[in-house]
């Protein structure tokens, strides 16, 4: 094991507790990795390969964490087909030629790609994070890109985006940018992602909704009060998980998710609430009910259904701007997620570095290529993985468990619909609390640091984008530090990235000029 690898886990300890942070062993208390040999048991070899004991974890905790991550991510198998595809042409997202993707096919390739990439990430990067179709990019494809190109051409752009990211990662440029980020901004990214997760959970549960007015833009529930039973189930789940976490119960999140789901199934059986699109008081995404069919055969017909004809259709400059937008979003969403999640897992050293950084970035780039090649959209690291980290996961074994569950989900899609989004939302809020607690490490007495840190934190949840928060933080850091006489402390690479973000934020007018 390399010295940098050891320092990444030795230099920083997380707070204890079986249900939350797991203390990273110090150099004096570490258990030496088990040697491979003919006499080694399978468990010992597993421990050695994933460095489970070395990171202060154990196999049951990793399995538990992997299951929790899957439960909080499983909604993507249902949501991604609704964003990219449809059950019929009249309710699907049509491309420029009137083409559309079948929801059943999108669901199948979503599970397949997430499963394969998450297992690959766990084995190569040895980090407990799941990969799946990123919600920012799939929405961008459905709302903007396919208004100009076909679905196959849009996925070709995603493949190019992934290849660019792989090259940037393999040449260490992406890693150099990561190292150029000041520690205070890395902490701010973690806190911002925590607020973002909590906000996502509150919105998904209907606890916070759009008011429909310019001011205030959001409100509590409907008309300022909680009025639906699913939102009440969310509140119950949040309290149950919170109490279990506070009492340091092993498997707190897993117990909370399963227990609250059972309550939700019983409530639905009695009250027949149905989905929200049929009943205003119904469930947001999937109805918690026992399925009549358990096994389904996946249709993988979308694999390889991409081409590179977008540049011929819309022109080189317009195509380049679309790829630029995809790369910037993909690039910094993943960097932000890795920063926040590894810090939450206690795997970073004092400089914010963590084990196998380059491998993590390369595999994440491959996920983008795989997502385009299967028409499931770019696969990236999910911040929802923080739920598994909160459950105690610290190694790639948890990712392997999550990936296997995604592969099984292809055949058991009806079962993935039992856990309602409102229950998963409660877990996201709890994990958000854990991540936001790191705000205590930020120093607010220096305003040249406080302003960029604050913008990074608040812009993520307010704009629903990790990349936007990072961009605002980078630009303000470079400008404020420079104009206050601290230009020498700013990495030249950070200047280049800040200029890139300026172009990214102004891409609308720039695309208008090219049009």
């Amino acid at each position: 094991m390399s010295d940098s690898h050891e320092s990444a886990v030795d230099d920083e300890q997380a707070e204890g507790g079986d249900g939350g942070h797991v203390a990273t062993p110090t150099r004096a208390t570490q258990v030496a990795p088990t040697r491979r040999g003919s006499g080694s048991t399978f468990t010992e070899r597993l421990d050695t390969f994933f460095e489970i004991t070395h990171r202060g974890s154990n196999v049951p905790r990793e399995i538990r964490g992997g299951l929790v991550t899957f439960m909080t991510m499983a909604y993507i198998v249902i949501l991604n087909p609704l964003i990219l595809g449809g059950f019929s042409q009249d309710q699907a997202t049509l491309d420029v030629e009137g083409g559309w993707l079948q929801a059943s096919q999108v669901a199948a390739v979503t599970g397949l790609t997430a499963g394969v990439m998450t297992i690959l990430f766990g084995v190569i990067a040895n980090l407990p994070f799941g990969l799946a179709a990123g919600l920012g990019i799939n929405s961008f494809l459905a709302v903007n890109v396919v208004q100009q190109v076909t679905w196959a051409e849009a996925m070709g752009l995603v493949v190019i985006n992934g290849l660019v990211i792989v090259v940037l990662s393999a040449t260490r440029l992406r890693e150099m940018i990561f190292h150029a980020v000041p520690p205070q901004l890395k902490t701010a990214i973690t806190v911002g992602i925590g607020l973002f997760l909590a906000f996502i959970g509150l919105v998904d549960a209907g606890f916070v909704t759009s008011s429909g007015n310019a001011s205030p833009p959001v409100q509590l529930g409907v008309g300022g009060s909680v009025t639906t039973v699913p939102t009440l189930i969310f509140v119950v789940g949040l309290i149950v998980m919170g109490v279990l976490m506070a009492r340091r119960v092993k498997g707190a999140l897993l117990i909370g998710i399963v227990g609250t789901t059972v309550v939700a199934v019983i409530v639905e059986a009695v009250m027949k609430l149905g989905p929200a699109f049929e009943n205003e008081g119904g469930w947001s995404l999937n109805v918690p009910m026992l399925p009549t069919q358990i096994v389904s055969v996946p249709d993988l017909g979308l694999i390889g259904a991409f081409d590179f004809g977008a540049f011929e259709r819309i022109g080189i400059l317009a195509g380049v701007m679309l790829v630029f937008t995809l790369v910037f979003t993909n690039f910094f969403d993943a960097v932000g997620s890795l920063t926040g999640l590894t810090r939450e897992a206690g795997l970073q050293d004092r400089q914010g570095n963590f084990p196998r950084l380059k491998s993590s970035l390369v595999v994440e780039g491959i996920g983008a290529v795989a997502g385009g090649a299967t028409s499931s959209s770019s696969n990236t690291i999910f911040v929802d993985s923080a739920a598994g980290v909160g459950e105690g996961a610290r190694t790639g074994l948890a990712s392997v468990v999550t990936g296997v569950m995604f592969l099984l989900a292809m055949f058991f899609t009806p079962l993935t619909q039992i856990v309602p989004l409102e229950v998963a939302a409660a877990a996201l809020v709890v994990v958000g609390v854990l991540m936001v607690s790191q705000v205590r490490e930020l120093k607010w007495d220096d305003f040249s640091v406080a302003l960029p840190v604050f913008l990074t934190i608040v812009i993520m949840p307010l704009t629903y984008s990790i990349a936007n928060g990072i961009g605002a933080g980078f630009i303000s850091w470079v400008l404020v530090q420079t104009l206050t006489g601290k230009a020498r402390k700013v990495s030249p690479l950070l200047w280049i990235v800040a200029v890139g973000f300026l172009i990214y934020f102004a891409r609308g007018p720039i695309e208008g000029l090219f049009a």
Side-chain angles (χ1 to χ4, degrees), residues 73-232:
M73 287 179 62
Y75 68 87
I76 194 63
V77 179
I78 304 165
L79 185 57
N80 200 39
L82 298 180
I83 294 174
L84 298 180
F87 297 100
S88 62
Q89 186 175 19
D90 61 340
Q91 54 89 228
T93 301
L94 305 181
D95 63 25
V96 69
E97 291 186 351
W100 60 288
L101 304 178
Q102 293 184 20
S104 59
Q105 291 182 317
V106 176
V109 293
T110 297
L112 174 66
T113 312
V116 172
M117 290 312 308
T118 300
I119 292 173
L120 188 65
F121 188 82
V123 171
I124 295 178
N126 195 22
L127 293 171
F129 313 142
L131 277 72
L135 290 175
I137 289 182
N138 62 8
S139 299
F140 177 65
L141 293 175
V143 174
N144 298 98
V145 179
V146 295
Q147 308 305 314
Q148 307 172 57
V149 300
T150 66
W151 274 112
E153 292 164 350
M155 293 303 169
L157 294 176
V158 174
V159 171
I160 295 173
N161 147 70
L163 292 173
V164 171
I165 291 176
V166 170
V167 170
L168 292 175
S169 302
T171 56
R172 304 186 74 88
L173 180 59
R174 201 177 185 190
E175 187 175 347
M176 290 168 61
I177 293 174
F178 181 88
H179 290 311
V181 180
Q184 290 280 48
L185 280 185
K186 288 181 178 178
T187 302
I189 290 170
T190 303
V191 176
I193 290 175
L195 279 180
F196 185 31
L197 277 176
F199 191 52
I200 290 174
L202 293 170
V203 171
D204 286 349
F207 194 84
V208 172
T209 63
S210 172
S211 65
N213 302 317
S215 180
V218 294
Q219 62 181 350
L220 171 66
V222 179
S225 63
V226 175
T227 60
T228 69
V229 173
T231 302
L232 182 60

Side-chain angles (χ1 to χ4, degrees), residues 249-263:
V249 175
K250 289 184 179 181
L253 291 181
L254 181 58
I255 294 171
I257 291 173
V258 173
T260 311
T261 297
V262 171
V263 173

Side-chain angles (χ1 to χ4, degrees), residues 466-514:
I466 295 174
N468 287 348
I470 294 175
F474 282 12
I475 293 172
S476 58
W477 180 276
V478 167
L479 292 177
V480 174
Q481 292 289 319
T482 300
L483 296 177
T484 54
K486 303 175 183 177
R488 292 182 179 179
K489 296 182 179 180
V490 180
S491 166
L493 207 53
L494 212 58
W495 267 105
I496 296 173
V497 175
V499 171
F501 267 114
L502 286 173
I503 298 173
Y504 174 72
F505 288 148
R507 65 188 183 278
I510 293 174
E511 289 174 355
L513 289 176
F514 291 149

